[in-house]
Amino acid sequence: MNAIAAVERALRAVEEREPEVRAWAWLDADRAQAEAVAVERRGGGPLGGVVLGVKDIFDTWDQPTECGTPIFAGRRPRADAATVSLLRAAGAVCLGKTVTAELASSHPGPTTNPHRATHTPGGSSMGSAAAVACGMADIALGTQTAGSIIRPASFCGVFGFKPTFGTVSPAGVKLFAPSLDTVGWFARTPELLDAVRVCLTGRAPAAPLTGPPRIGVLRTEQWRACAPESAQAVVEMADRARTADAQVSEVTQPDFLDGLAGDLTVMAYESARTLAWEHRTHRDLLSPALRDFLDMGVTTDPGVYDRVLARRDAARAREAELFGACDVLLTPAVVGEAPLGLADTGDPKFARLWTLLGLPTVAIPAITGPTGLPVGVQLLARTGQDAALLAAACWLTSDPAH
């Protein structure tokens, strides 16, 4: 499909779904159509015919970037974020800016779950996941500081990818906690996730696996919080892999990771300093939840912060012990189905640890839960093994007969 036809298809989906889903913070059909014409005139590109949604914390020179807060109402950057520029250069057409939670934190925007409007789509990259789920965008940029790619991908029934920390530039992105913030993205297929990775990193495409991967089902300390449907999703995905001749084994979380998953020290300490201007000069425009969290960060002991980072670094050095002989690890992505209501974006507990460690992770749609909402699983790989991870995701979601 060429860029012009792709934009027209996306706009039809917007007309049908956007009044209820409310995935977009800003959208200009005329501008997007003109951009599509320009893409076709220059011959398309690797992502020609792909419609892009951009989380509203990424700068765009031709569209407002308001970061989900009245503090930045009407803000117009002078340049695109690095990722937006690279995707546009590859031929993707930016349809608009997708809703973000306030400053990419936990206070939600108006977006609803595309599968049931009374339930959350997850956060903070809520609009991006919902737009892809509805066909209003083919790909959409997001960020993850705790679970803001993996959780909304699972709740909305799409693929979501968080690359190895530091491999994709955050230039032009409003940060929250720089040691954790990772640019990621959503798509309807793992192949398209990989095409975006190639455009953003300049690295080679993921090579198809020559044989079944070695998969470890990782039993973390958070499993006791799993709803039955989330555990079922992991079991069914593991069974699917076994049926396709993968080597599947049980892996127990090593002791050196105990306690790290729930520690908010790094996020609190860094966010209070990253958002110091907003906190100091526009305190009254912050949600009570974010204001309280930043207050906590101001009083966080730097020594405690340093000790958590030291534990993180020590855990990273023992990464090989976590994976053992496995190529990838399979874990729950979320506690269960998307919770009822729009005031809470859900618990990021199953993604937080891997964000802290900087490992590449991908959310994979898996099953339909007991009330009819999607539930995904999460696959993770060693540092820098992003291509191998996406190759495993492609293998796992292809026809088992392959």
Side-chain angles (χ1 to χ4, degrees):
M1 182 180 292
N2 69 22
I4 297 170
V7 168
E8 291 302 322
R9 171 189 45 76
L11 289 173
R12 288 193 296 272
V14 168
E15 183 178 6
E16 179 183 350
R17 299 300 310 278
E18 177 60 9
E20 180 179 58
V21 175
R22 292 178 287 178
W24 300 93
W26 190 89
L27 191 150
D28 183 336
D30 291 341
R31 186 208 53 78
Q33 289 166 328
E35 186 174 332
V37 170
V39 166
E40 287 303 309
R41 283 176 177 167
R42 68 172 189 258
L47 294 180
V50 171
V51 175
L52 167 68
V54 175
K55 184 178 181 178
D56 196 28
I57 61 168
F58 289 72
D59 283 350
T60 43
W61 76 269
D62 55 351
Q63 303 165 50
T65 302
E66 299 180 332
C67 303
T69 173
I71 296 170
F72 294 117
R75 176 176 172 265
R76 287 272 184 166
R78 298 182 64 181
D80 281 341
T83 44
V84 176
S85 183
L86 288 167
L87 294 175
R88 281 177 154 170
V93 175
C94 181
L95 192 62
K97 306 302 286 291
T98 57
V99 169
T100 176
E102 174 194 25
L103 291 162
S105 65
S106 60
H107 184 68
T111 307
T112 66
N113 191 297
H115 300 273
R116 190 174 302 139
T118 53
H119 289 244
T120 180
S124 61
S125 306
M126 52 205 325
S128 288
V132 170
C134 292
M136 295 187 283
D138 299 306
I139 59 174
L141 288 169
T143 56
Q144 180 156 304
T145 310
S148 297
I149 296 287
I150 298 302
R151 186 168 78 263
S154 180
F155 287 169
C156 293
V158 298
F159 290 87
F161 179 57
K162 183 195 77 68
T164 296
F165 179 80
T167 57
V168 175
S169 174
V173 179
K174 182 64 175 174
L175 298 180
F176 190 80
S179 291
L180 303 171
D181 295 329
T182 309
V183 172
W185 50 94
F186 303 88
R188 298 292 287 273
T189 68
E191 290 82 3
L192 194 48
L193 289 180
D194 192 57
V196 173
R197 180 190 64 86
V198 171
C199 290
L200 294 182
T201 65
R203 297 181 181 274
L209 297 184
T210 57
R214 298 168 298 176
I215 300 173
V217 178
L218 178 61
R219 298 283 177 174
T220 69
E221 61 184 334
Q222 289 79 40
W223 270 69
R224 58 181 175 268
C226 250
E229 64 268 22
S230 197
Q232 178 190 349
V234 173
V235 169
E236 290 194 14
M237 193 62 74
D239 287 345
R240 175 185 174 87
R242 288 190 187 94
T243 299
D245 296 327
Q247 178 182 319
V248 180
S249 58
E250 293 283 328
V251 176
T252 301
Q253 177 177 292
D255 293 345
F256 62 80
L257 295 178
D258 289 352
L260 277 176
D263 198 304
L264 297 177
T265 302
V266 173
M267 186 183 295
Y269 180 88
E270 292 188 358
S271 63
R273 284 145 186 86
T274 304
L275 300 178
W277 179 80
E278 292 85 354
H279 190 207
R280 182 174 60 85
T281 64
H282 292 290
R283 182 180 177 86
D284 59 323
L285 295 180
L286 297 173
S287 68
L290 180 55
R291 189 166 59 238
D292 290 348
F293 190 74
L294 297 178
D295 288 345
M296 181 178 74
V298 169
T299 61
T300 296
D301 184 343
V304 175
Y305 168 76
D306 291 341
R307 286 193 289 275
V308 174
L309 290 185
R311 279 203 65 198
R312 177 204 65 186
D313 293 344
R316 284 176 173 174
R318 300 177 69 177
E319 181 181 294
E321 296 177 46
L322 170 64
F323 283 88
C326 298
D327 300 310
V328 293
L329 298 177
L330 176 65
T331 76
V334 286
V335 172
E337 287 181 304
L340 175 66
L342 302 180
D344 180 4
T345 61
D347 193 330
K349 68 168 75 258
F350 286 104
R352 193 187 297 278
L353 176 58
W354 317 124
T355 307
L356 177 64
L357 296 180
L359 299 179
T361 63
V362 59
I364 300 174
I367 67 168
T368 299
T371 76
L373 294 174
V375 178
V377 296
Q378 182 176 203
L379 209 61
L380 51 141
R382 294 173 173 82
T383 300
Q385 294 298 304
D386 300 45
L389 174 64
L390 290 176
C394 290
W395 182 91
L396 197 55
T397 55
S398 64
D399 186 331
H402 43 276

